[in-house]
Amino acid sequence: MRTKRISAAIALAAASALTLSGCSMGAPSGGSQQDASAGGKLTVWIMQGDQSEDTIKAINERFTKETGVKVDVQTQVWADINTKVTTALSTDTPPDVIDLGNTQVAGFAVSGGLLDLTDKADDMRQGHTWLSGLEEPATIDGRLYGIPALGAAGAVIYNKKMWSAAGIDNPPSTYEELEADLQKLRDANTDKDFSPFYMPGRDWKSAARWIWDAGGDFAEQQSDGTWKSTLSSDNSLKGIDQWLEFQHKWSSEASRSLDTGNPDFSQLLAEGKTGAILNNSAGIRTIQQYNPDLTTDDLGSFPMPGASGKLQPAMMAGSVWGVAQKSKRQELALKWIKIAASPEIQKDYVFAKDGWMPNYVEGLDEVMKSADFPSYLTGFFESAKNTKATPASPQWLTIENDSSLNCFGDIATGATTAKAAAKSFDEHADSLYAKK
């Protein structure tokens, strides 16, 4: 997830980094008096590839100026980070502030390792509306455990030159217009290996859009706080059927058993073997690496229209700031996070320097109105206004990693029916949700 200034360079950099995928109810145990007596520096863990040195420097300088306290920034790598964070939160001297993936929060919150930030939310919002795809995964059983830090949302990336050659001058705004345009692409590109819209069958994150657009979901939280898998609900099955129809109609038959990486769907677009893919803005840079002759003027993006008549909800990738429950500097940690989440830092650094989307909805419109906003990023920013998240259950990470979601490839290839696959998925997921 990265950009360069809002110049073409920043825009390119922005595209490169976007490749990211027992709750404690206690009040802060620190307080200003304890913070003052804790000694030392505020310790902040940041993930490699998230905030740039310039951004962290700006936050730290403002924080130190206002508090007199210096900051010890420790950069972490993604490998084995879940184990490292879990271990750190269990000690008596954890990092005070931790940069967390938005879908990681539930697992750390349920163990009691993160501070409940619910009562701080209004102050932290600073009069703005956070991106729902960042806030929702950090909200567990109605309690907030992470403050949105940065985000990225997917959209349709398309080859504008190819679409123009097929007689399409403007991106579609409705599902019907999209399908009509894809038919024009097919008529204009008769090679047997060409797909108007390449979408691998095992790409469950794309299928999720159709499920959400139809009013379905992977799971629902019950009144007692437990989760119930709902992939076999009527609305979810409706979305799966609509996704399957689209996938079979506009993507290649060979893609039904594949995921996005082999072959790389960005390479297929770069080579002219497809007219469109669903990806985040990192795909722009990857496409240009495969085909340097394609400039940002040749590529465009637009939010994916839904069969519902509205834009499809997009899955939000990104990070949030958490505070360790055992931190002795909680008030200082909250002060640091408030600065990091401020509109000034979000616009002037998180977006303008690092290429991420600002953490609040109003900020999307603000940066899009700037004179040097790269037009090819428009679809990603519009998509970010309507985002959804996977279930905020600590068991969801297990579901993502245990091959359960490969059922979408089985549905796409016809190895099983949507109804049978969804029923089997629900049974497995419910067995996990039942675990404490």
Side-chain angles (χ1 to χ4, degrees), residues 3 23 62 67 102 113 128 208 215 218 272 308 310 372 387 410 430:
T3 343
C23 300
R62 180 171 158 185
T67 66
N102 59 331
H128 292 99
F218 289 94
S308 66
K310 302 176 182 179
D372 49 0
T387 57
D410 295 333
D430 283 338

Side-chain angles (χ1 to χ4, degrees), residues 233-244:
S233 69
D234 290 344
N235 285 341
S236 294
L237 288 174
K238 177 182 178 181
I240 293 173
D241 287 343
Q242 291 172 336
W243 160 77
L244 183 64

Side-chain angles (χ1 to χ4, degrees), residues 238-419:
K238 177 182 178 181
I240 293 173
D241 287 343
Q242 291 172 336
W243 160 77
L244 183 64
E245 179 183 8
F246 187 93
Q247 200 276 337
H248 278 198
K249 189 174 182 180
W250 303 116
S251 193
S252 66
E253 183 175 352
S255 72
R256 296 175 187 178
S257 63
L258 302 175
D259 208 333
T260 58
N262 187 22
D264 186 334
F265 63 164
S266 294
Q267 182 176 3
L268 295 180
L269 194 143
E271 295 177 348
K273 294 180 179 179
T274 185
I277 58 174
L278 268 173
N279 199 2
N280 60 37
S281 60
I284 300 288
R285 178 183 171 92
T286 305
I287 290 164
Q288 291 179 302
Q289 288 175 335
Y290 282 119
N291 184 356
D293 292 335
L294 283 175
T295 69
T296 52
D297 290 334
D298 299 325
L299 300 170
S301 65
F302 59 86
M304 181 70 182
S308 66
K310 302 176 182 179
L311 296 181
Q312 285 185 352
M315 188 175 294
M316 174 66 72
S319 296
V320 302
W321 296 113
V323 177
Q325 176 66 32
K326 292 184 178 181
S327 166
K328 297 178 175 63
R329 303 175 182 83
Q330 290 177 357
E331 292 299 334
L332 288 171
L334 291 167
K335 176 69 174 177
W336 190 94
I337 291 174
K338 185 174 180 180
I339 294 171
S342 67
E344 296 79 15
I345 292 294
Q346 289 291 313
K347 286 191 298 181
D348 298 341
Y349 289 90
V350 172
F351 172 68
K353 297 287 186 182
D354 299 348
W356 296 97
M357 293 175 179
N359 66 357
Y360 63 107
V361 174
E362 297 84 353
L364 300 178
D365 289 327
E366 290 172 16
V367 298
M368 288 175 69
K369 291 176 182 177
S370 60
D372 49 0
F373 178 80
S375 61
Y376 70 85
L377 295 178
T378 298
F380 306 109
F381 276 68
E382 290 293 346
S383 293
K385 297 177 184 178
N386 179 29
T387 57
K388 285 277 290 182
T390 52
S393 163
Q395 282 75 38
W396 182 256
L397 284 179
T398 300
I399 292 171
E400 279 198 26
N401 293 322
D402 68 5
S403 301
S404 303
L405 292 161
N406 287 348
C407 65
F408 286 95
D410 295 333
I411 294 169
T413 59
T416 186
T417 65
K419 187 173 183 178

